[in-house]
Amino acid sequence: PCLSFSAFAVEHIPKGNNCLDAAKACNLDDTCKKYRSAYITPCTTSMSNDVCNRRKCHKALRQFFDKVPAKHSYGMLFCSCRDIACTERRRQTIVPVCSYEEREKPNCLNLQDSCKTNYICRSRLADFFTNCQPESRSVSSCLKENYADCLLAYSGLIGTVMTPNYIDSSSLSVAPWCDCSNSGNDLEECSKFLNFFKDNTCLKNAIQAFGNGSDVTAWQPALPVQTTTATTTTAFRIKNKPLGPAGSENEIPTHVLPPCANLQAQKLKSNVSGNTHLCISNGNYEKEGLGASSHIPTKSMAAPPSCGLSPLLVLVVTALSTLLSLSLAETS
């Protein structure tokens, strides 16, 4: 049987290992089992040289979180725990030895710069900054009051160079594999970046709400609003929406987002067909050399202009013109 939402209810937490239950439920679902097996293999170190293929591991992880239903992928990643065995299983969900950890931690700002060189990572990081923006005055502690968008943005980072994970087995604090040593004059900026992950009340509340089942509807992806312009995509919606007043809690400035990367993630999670013809293909994006500061051509953002008068109006004008011509002919 499929994993029910009640498995995450508060009263069920002490009765067993929710993360183990989520893993078992994944194995009972064909799609989840298929894509989980697909990332376990490349993310596991080779017996011959003790080195995993990180590139293939990250690609397989992205496919897992893009294609597996949220109740299973989130169930394994955000399960509620009361003991170390459970939290350690949760931390090991993404096989951190390969996908997350390295011998040395890079500086977080250097890691951020590396992320910006890749259109998927850059777009999803900006998505995370926007959709997990904390706001202490809101009920949910999220500026957007939407746990679904925050969890989607967080899980979208897994499988990029910015892959985050639980820091330890004793809390819900997460972070990418980096620190702020050797930051020099940029120490404050680096700490601000890292704390957006580690001390993010919006993200922590979203994880808790899913894990204990206290707000089932809050994490379910919402259907995108359909209009006649490409601004319905997540990427453009983020770029045009202000994040709030300057100096708000943990505010991180976002950059111009590339087309399609966010939309594809949203489409795969919500199973909604989007207006992909309004996007620039990945190949064209790289070929045209659109960087983080480049502007997307206006024609790709706007709806097609009106092509002229409606057929009915054309007929009416033609008829009136004919009658007027006949009338003039008779008077002359």
Side-chain angles (χ1 to χ4, degrees):
C2 293
L3 182 65
S4 65
F5 296 127
S6 61
F8 298 104
V10 177
E11 60 269 19
H12 285 237
I13 292 176
K15 295 184 178 180
N17 186 325
N18 282 333
C19 294
L20 178 60
D21 293 341
K24 291 178 179 178
C26 176
N27 286 333
L28 295 176
D29 180 86
D30 291 340
T31 301
C32 189
K33 183 178 181 180
K34 171 186 174 182
Y35 285 102
R36 187 187 181 204
S37 299
Y39 81 73
I40 290 295
T41 300
C43 293
T44 303
T45 56
S46 169
M47 295 298 291
S48 58
N49 55 14
D50 289 332
V51 177
C52 71
N53 189 323
R54 172 164 290 200
R55 183 182 63 81
K56 288 185 177 180
C57 174
H58 277 175
K59 182 178 180 180
L61 276 169
R62 290 199 305 272
Q63 288 184 329
F64 176 81
F65 286 103
D66 282 345
K67 297 182 179 181
V68 173
K71 68 176 180 179
H72 293 302
S73 60
Y74 288 7
M76 295 173 60
L77 191 62
F78 304 129
C79 37
S80 288
C81 292
R82 289 280 181 89
D83 59 67
I84 298 298
C86 179
T87 55
E88 184 58 22
R89 174 175 281 274
R90 182 175 63 193
R91 197 181 73 83
Q92 294 291 338
T93 295
I94 64 169
V95 196
V97 171
C98 181
S99 68
Y100 175 70
E101 299 171 2
E102 293 190 71
R103 291 183 179 179
E104 296 183 3
K105 284 188 176 182
N107 179 273
C108 291
L109 295 181
N110 291 338
L111 186 63
Q112 184 184 25
D113 289 339
S114 177
C115 175
K116 289 177 184 177
T117 64
N118 178 273
Y119 78 98
I120 293 179
C121 187
R122 178 171 69 249
S123 177
R124 294 187 178 189
L125 181 61
D127 226 1
F128 176 68
F129 288 154
T130 299
N131 292 313
C132 293
Q133 177 72 37
E135 174 51 65
S136 58
R137 294 167 295 182
S138 73
V139 175
S140 64
S141 292
C142 296
L143 182 65
K144 292 186 64 177
E145 299 279 18
N146 192 318
Y147 289 156
D149 287 351
C150 182
L151 294 186
L152 179 64
Y154 175 83
S155 62
L157 284 173
I158 296 175
T160 70
V161 296
M162 195 58 69
T163 296
N165 195 22
Y166 298 98
I167 296 175
D168 51 45
S169 299
S170 60
S171 70
L172 290 179
S173 290
V174 301
W177 185 257
C178 65
D179 60 30
C180 288
S181 59
N182 302 318
S183 293
N185 294 332
D186 296 324
L187 179 59
E188 183 178 355
E189 182 184 355
C190 181
S191 298
K192 188 176 182 181
F193 176 87
L194 185 57
N195 287 336
F196 194 94
F197 286 87
K198 293 175 63 176
D199 300 320
N200 191 319
T201 53
C202 172
L203 176 60
K204 288 181 181 179
N205 286 355
I207 293 174
Q208 286 180 326
F210 178 86
N212 62 31
S214 61
D215 196 350
V216 172
T217 60
W219 61 264
Q220 293 176 334
L223 300 182
V225 177
Q226 296 297 323
T227 70
T228 57
T229 69
T231 53
T232 53
T233 67
T234 305
F236 293 122
R237 196 164 59 236
I238 292 170
K239 189 177 78 169
N240 294 326
K241 183 178 179 63
L243 295 182
S248 60
E249 184 181 358
N250 284 345
E251 180 181 354
I252 301 289
T254 59
H255 301 277
V256 175
L257 306 182
C260 301
N262 306 66
L263 175 62
Q264 289 168 352
Q266 180 64 51
K267 277 175 52 190
L268 291 168
K269 277 295 181 187
S270 59
N271 294 322
V272 174
S273 59
N275 296 326
T276 53
H277 65 282
L278 295 170
C279 298
I280 301 173
S281 68
N282 295 346
N284 290 338
Y285 182 85
E286 296 296 338
K287 182 171 64 178
E288 294 170 11
L290 295 177
S293 60
S294 300
H295 294 286
I296 298 168
T298 305
K299 65 181 181 180
S300 68
M301 297 176 61
S306 174
C307 297
L309 300 175
S310 68
L312 180 59
L313 188 56
V314 171
L315 289 174
V316 172
V317 171
T318 303
L320 288 175
S321 299
T322 304
L323 290 173
L324 182 60
S325 299
L326 291 174
S327 176
L328 292 172
E330 289 176 358
T331 56
S332 61

